[in-house]
Amino acid sequence: MTTAEENYLKAIYHLSEGGKKSVSTNDVAGAMKTKPASVSDMLRKLGEKEVIEYRKYYGVHITDEGKKQALQTIRKHRLWEVFLVDKLNFAWDEVHEVAEELEHIQSPLLIQRLDAFLNYPKFDPHGDPIPDEFGDVKAKPRLVLNEMEIDQMGQIVAVKDSSAAFLKYLDKVGAYIGARIKILDKTDFDGSIEILVDQKKNLFMSKEVAANILIQQS
Amino acid sequence: MTTAEENYLKAIYHLSEGGKKSVSTNDVAGAMKTKPASVSDMLRKLGEKEVIEYRKYYGVHITDEGKKQALQTIRKHRLWEVFLVDKLNFAWDEVHEVAEELEHIQSPLLIQRLDAFLNYPKFDPHGDPIPDEFGDVKAKPRLVLNEMEIDQMGQIVAVKDSSAAFLKYLDKVGAYIGARIKILDKTDFDGSIEILVDQKKNLFMSKEVAANILIQQS
DNA sequence: TCATTTTTTTAGTCTAGGCTAATTATTATT
DNA sequence: AATAATAATTAGCCTAGACTAAAAAAATGA
């Protein structure tokens, strides 16, 4: 697999995550920031390698083999993120781009050793679970904050949008990975919510922000 | 600079090291394991970027700017080698290929942090000096073992041929980076030499082997 | 249902880096 | 100095991965 193929496969994997049946060419183009024409070409290639099932005009399904390979790339990405934050003192909002490059280094031994060196971490700095070397993820299910009901409780374990802007905003308002939260109020009109952070701090946020925060229920 | 360009420039830098005036297309093709035709093309491109001075049919000279850039790549390569050996417990003869990939990661911050994390090492696991962030190398001059005279003394600080086979051979006969040596005898006929290792072990080696061992005189 | 809109694919072009075969420069040898 | 040998360059082709424009299929909606 080339770097480009790995990136496409990873994108298709992520787009399939929400339980969506099939992923469209346009979706992939959007995620990859390429044009649909380029995507068609790549889908044909990935189809031939049997990491996806490709039926012209009907989008793609990722195969079990494809899933396994995508999870390997994701594993590498997240391990490197842990390395950057834990060992090289990067901020959690500075690691994505570099990890995007590092994840394509081809050396199973390297990843094995890195995993050991980092002490077999289970989550990356954004709270996302790190698949094991067989592609297994045994993380408990997570909820999207804006889909929770009043009085439900949990812990912030991840963010979907790990852009620098979003991460900085969270930091500013006092939300962070690990924070324990409780839904205090929810406005049907605009979907905005009010939460209690660590049993002491009230925090109001828009639906858009809440939709990017993942919660582990306790 | 693309990865390919970086690799060519690094090769040209190394080929220029022996004080050779100009480097031939064939030399570069040999080092890069590509065909001369491909090299001609790349030399034209590198010439346009002014990292080399290229006169058709007369080989190339690396420019000051080119030297600076090559040294940055070399710096990155060697820092990663230190990381692999010191932190991830790679053997010194296992690191080259992986470092060859890692050296192309583009992130000045990453290298800065890595350098600090490794405690600003001055030599890589093969004993080669690590240039600083300005491309300066302040390592003392080294001699090639087969060019030393009887009774001269010094310390093994590096090997030129860092192939796994050569490194394993050295290990087997009891030579290693850091060993203190003294030239006991030299045969004009075939250039083979006999050395004393650490004041206790006599070691006989061919000119070919000795030509790959670099000595720091004490 | 049939026409229009949207989505997707195909066809053809481009750049980076390779290659081989043919050509041209330079160097070596008589 | 002329010719032979070697080295380097050019020309033309290939693949990967992007693009645009055109064509075709699918979805929508009047």
Side-chain angles (χ1 to χ4, degrees):
Chain A
M1 292 255 285
T2 66
T3 292
E5 287 169 344
E6 283 182 357
N7 284 333
Y8 271 98
L9 191 57
K10 196 168 48 122
I12 292 166
Y13 174 85
H14 283 310
L15 290 168
S16 310
E17 265 182 319
K20 280 188 61 176
K21 266 124 249 307
S22 90
V23 175
S24 74
T25 298
N26 262 359
D27 289 347
V28 177
M32 292 297 296
K33 294 175 177 191
T34 56
K35 302 293 162 175
S38 312
V39 173
S40 284
D41 238 47
M42 183 55 94
L43 294 185
R44 191 187 35 71
K45 277 177 45 182
L46 292 177
E48 281 164 15
K49 301 206 167 169
E50 314 207 349
V51 290
I52 60 172
E53 234 177 86
Y54 175 42
R55 246 190 78 208
K56 276 188 199 175
Y57 292 103
Y58 288 91
V60 295
H61 289 269
I62 193 161
T63 65
D64 284 352
E65 177 56 28
K67 213 170 281 181
K68 224 176 79 185
Q69 290 191 30
L71 282 162
Q72 277 318 302
T73 306
I74 289 166
R75 168 174 163 78
K76 292 193 272 178
H77 181 101
R78 293 181 181 165
L79 282 174
W80 280 116
E81 285 195 344
V82 173
F83 170 71
L84 294 172
V85 169
D86 285 12
K87 303 295 181 180
L88 300 196
N89 295 115
F90 276 66
W92 67 328
D93 58 352
E94 295 174 332
V95 297
H96 191 76
E97 280 67 28
V98 182
E100 207 66 25
E101 291 189 53
L102 285 164
E103 75 189 7
H104 300 294
I105 304 290
Q106 304 292 180
S107 169
L109 181 62
L110 173 63
I111 292 308
Q112 209 174 287
R113 298 284 174 92
L114 182 64
D115 193 24
F117 179 61
L118 299 172
N119 226 262
Y120 309 103
K122 294 287 162 280
F123 294 92
D124 76 9
H126 305 108
D128 290 310
I130 298 173
D132 69 18
E133 56 185 316
F134 309 109
D136 289 337
V137 188
K138 358 175 190 292
K140 303 138 244 163
R142 301 168 305 180
L143 296 177
V144 185
L145 182 50
N146 71 328
E147 287 168 357
M148 291 176 74
E149 301 302 324
I150 291 180
D151 283 339
Q152 277 195 300
M153 289 164 46
Q155 207 171 355
I156 299 181
V157 292
V159 291
K160 278 186 175 174
D161 171 2
S162 56
S163 73
F166 186 68
L167 297 173
K168 280 202 170 106
Y169 166 79
L170 285 188
D171 217 37
K172 209 185 73 190
V173 300
Y176 60 96
I177 304 289
R180 303 192 164 274
I181 60 101
K182 180 181 178 185
I183 314 295
L184 294 180
D185 198 10
K186 227 183 141 172
T187 311
D188 281 344
F189 174 61
D190 64 355
S192 64
I193 65 167
E194 195 177 355
I195 64 176
L196 180 68
V197 179
D198 290 333
Q199 280 144 9
K200 54 178 189 283
K201 193 176 188 313
N202 276 51
L203 185 53
F204 179 87
M205 57 175 69
S206 68
K207 185 178 73 181
E208 285 70 29
V209 167
N212 280 297
I213 297 180
L214 293 169
I215 304 298
Q216 184 92 57
Q217 271 192 304
S218 36
Chain B
M1 291 255 286
T2 65
T3 292
E5 287 170 346
E6 281 183 359
N7 284 334
Y8 270 98
L9 190 57
K10 195 168 51 123
I12 293 165
Y13 173 84
H14 283 310
L15 290 167
S16 310
E17 266 182 319
K20 281 188 61 178
K21 265 127 250 308
S22 90
V23 175
S24 75
T25 298
N26 264 357
D27 289 347
V28 177
M32 292 298 295
K33 295 175 177 189
T34 56
K35 304 291 163 178
S38 311
V39 174
S40 284
D41 239 46
M42 184 55 93
L43 294 185
R44 189 186 37 70
K45 275 176 46 182
L46 292 175
E48 281 164 14
K49 300 206 169 171
E50 314 208 349
V51 291
I52 61 172
E53 235 176 84
Y54 176 42
R55 248 188 76 209
K56 274 187 199 174
Y57 293 103
Y58 288 92
V60 295
H61 289 267
I62 193 161
T63 64
D64 284 352
E65 176 57 27
K67 211 171 284 181
K68 224 176 78 185
Q69 291 191 29
L71 282 163
Q72 277 319 301
T73 306
I74 290 166
R75 168 174 164 77
K76 291 192 272 176
H77 181 101
R78 294 182 181 165
L79 282 174
W80 280 117
E81 286 195 343
V82 172
F83 170 70
L84 294 172
V85 169
D86 285 12
K87 303 295 182 181
L88 300 196
N89 296 116
F90 276 66
W92 66 328
D93 59 351
E94 295 174 331
V95 297
H96 190 75
E97 280 68 28
V98 182
E100 206 67 25
E101 291 188 54
L102 285 164
E103 75 188 7
H104 300 295
I105 304 289
Q106 304 287 253
S107 168
L109 180 61
L110 172 64
I111 293 307
Q112 209 175 287
R113 298 284 173 92
L114 183 64
D115 192 25
F117 179 60
L118 299 173
N119 227 261
Y120 309 102
K122 293 286 163 282
F123 293 92
D124 75 11
H126 305 109
D128 290 309
I130 298 173
D132 69 19
E133 57 185 316
F134 309 109
D136 288 338
V137 187
K138 358 174 188 294
K140 302 138 243 162
R142 301 167 306 180
L143 297 176
V144 185
L145 183 51
N146 71 327
E147 286 168 359
M148 292 176 74
E149 302 301 323
I150 292 178
D151 283 340
Q152 276 196 301
M153 288 162 49
Q155 208 171 353
I156 299 180
V157 291
V159 292
K160 278 186 175 175
D161 172 1
S162 55
S163 71
F166 186 67
L167 296 173
K168 282 203 169 106
Y169 167 79
L170 284 187
D171 218 36
K172 207 187 71 188
V173 300
Y176 60 95
I177 304 289
R180 304 194 163 274
I181 60 101
K182 180 180 176 184
I183 313 296
L184 295 179
D185 199 9
K186 227 183 141 169
T187 310
D188 281 345
F189 174 62
D190 65 356
S192 64
I193 64 168
E194 197 180 354
I195 65 175
L196 181 68
V197 180
D198 289 334
Q199 279 143 12
K200 54 178 188 284
K201 192 175 186 319
N202 276 49
L203 184 54
F204 178 86
M205 58 175 68
S206 68
K207 185 179 73 181
E208 285 70 27
V209 168
N212 279 298
I213 298 180
L214 294 169
I215 304 298
Q216 183 93 55
Q217 271 191 305
S218 35

